[in-house]
């Protein structure tokens, strides 16, 4: 019976490592989806000079993952635009949808909401390009670190479980 318990503990440690790796991979996908979405947003604003509700309607059909969810939620919240500022709607939606981003990434995305629809088109596009550049840099860094983090996640989870088993046996 002891050996069965030991096996279950090691399996749980290994599974914790798998969960850690899955979260890292999901973060990579979210960053990639957001970069693509904000690049498309810049294109829509620059070429068509669309309004924000039109841009959100377009992007919710063309994006994937959390970017699609963000623009879907944002489209639904435009009916409150007269009573609530756009930047508050933006922050509310990014905080509820973009849970996989770290605090600095959230802060950068939030800063975009303070510029969209409020400033000159050039300044909006400049802010969008800056955000995409920041997210792309984070994405590239995360991609480079992913192989090491994958090994670390599996190794630490399994090693901690093995140490626990050794202490219990």
């Amino acid at each position: 019976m002891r050996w069965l318990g030991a096996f279950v503990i090691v399996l749980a440690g290994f599974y914790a490592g798998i969960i850690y790796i899955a979260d890292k991979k999901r973060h990579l996908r979210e960053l990639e989806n957001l970069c693509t979405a904000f690049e498309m947003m810049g294109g829509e604003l620059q070429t068509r000079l669309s309004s924000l509700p039109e841009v959100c309607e377009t992007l919710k059909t063309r994006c994937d993952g959390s970017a699609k969810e963000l623009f879907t939620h944002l489209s639904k919240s435009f009916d409150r635009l007269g009573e609530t500022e756009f930047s508050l709607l933006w922050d509310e939606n990014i905080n509820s949808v973009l849970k996989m981003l770290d605090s600095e990434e959230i802060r950068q995305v939030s800063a975009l909401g303070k510029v969209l629809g409020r400033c000159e088109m050039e300044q909006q596009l400049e802010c969008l390009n800056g955000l995409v550049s920041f997210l792309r840099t984070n994405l590239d860094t995360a991609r480079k670190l992913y192989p090491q983090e994958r090994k670390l996640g599996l190794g630490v989870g399994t090693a901690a479980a093995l140490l626990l088993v050794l202490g219990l046996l």
Side-chain angles (χ1 to χ4, degrees):
M1 199 58 145
R2 279 183 166 179
W3 293 107
L4 180 61
F7 177 73
V8 169
I9 290 172
V10 171
L11 195 61
F14 185 73
Y15 186 67
I18 289 174
I19 290 172
Y20 174 80
I21 292 168
D23 283 346
K24 291 294 180 181
K25 192 154 186 101
R26 187 170 157 210
H27 183 249
L28 288 172
R29 272 194 315 270
E30 299 297 333
L31 282 175
E32 193 165 336
N33 288 337
L34 287 173
C35 287
T36 303
F38 290 134
E39 287 170 346
M40 285 191 283
M41 179 184 247
E44 286 289 319
L45 290 172
Q46 188 172 20
T47 57
R48 296 186 185 184
L49 298 173
S50 303
S51 67
L52 286 175
E54 292 170 340
V55 169
C56 288
E57 282 295 321
T58 302
L59 291 177
K60 77 179 188 181
T61 60
R62 294 175 58 195
C63 295
D64 295 321
S66 62
K68 178 179 187 144
E69 191 177 342
L70 172 66
F71 291 111
T72 300
H73 284 265
L74 200 55
S75 291
K76 291 177 184 175
S77 63
F78 273 121
D79 60 341
R80 299 183 1 224
L81 192 56
E83 60 199 46
T84 308
E85 282 186 42
F86 175 76
S87 62
L88 295 175
L89 294 174
W90 180 261
D91 285 344
E92 178 183 302
N93 284 293
I94 64 170
N95 288 325
S96 68
V97 174
L98 304 180
K99 296 181 188 301
M100 286 306 295
L101 299 184
D102 65 33
S103 60
E104 182 59 24
E105 291 165 346
I106 290 285
R107 192 183 70 71
Q108 292 286 334
V109 175
S110 177
L112 177 64
K114 293 168 181 48
V115 175
L116 286 176
R118 189 176 280 187
C119 300
E120 299 274 333
M121 185 58 67
E122 292 172 15
Q123 191 175 2
Q124 292 179 54
L125 293 173
E126 185 179 311
C127 189
L128 260 169
N129 290 336
L131 175 61
V132 169
S133 175
F134 172 78
L135 292 177
R136 284 270 176 220
T137 301
N138 282 9
L139 177 61
D140 291 342
T141 302
R143 279 184 179 150
K144 288 176 187 170
L145 293 175
Y146 180 73
Q148 296 167 347
E149 289 176 338
R150 186 176 58 210
K151 290 176 189 173
L152 181 70
L154 285 175
V156 168
T158 306
L162 285 172
L163 284 173
L164 179 63
V165 166
L166 287 175
L168 293 175
L169 289 180

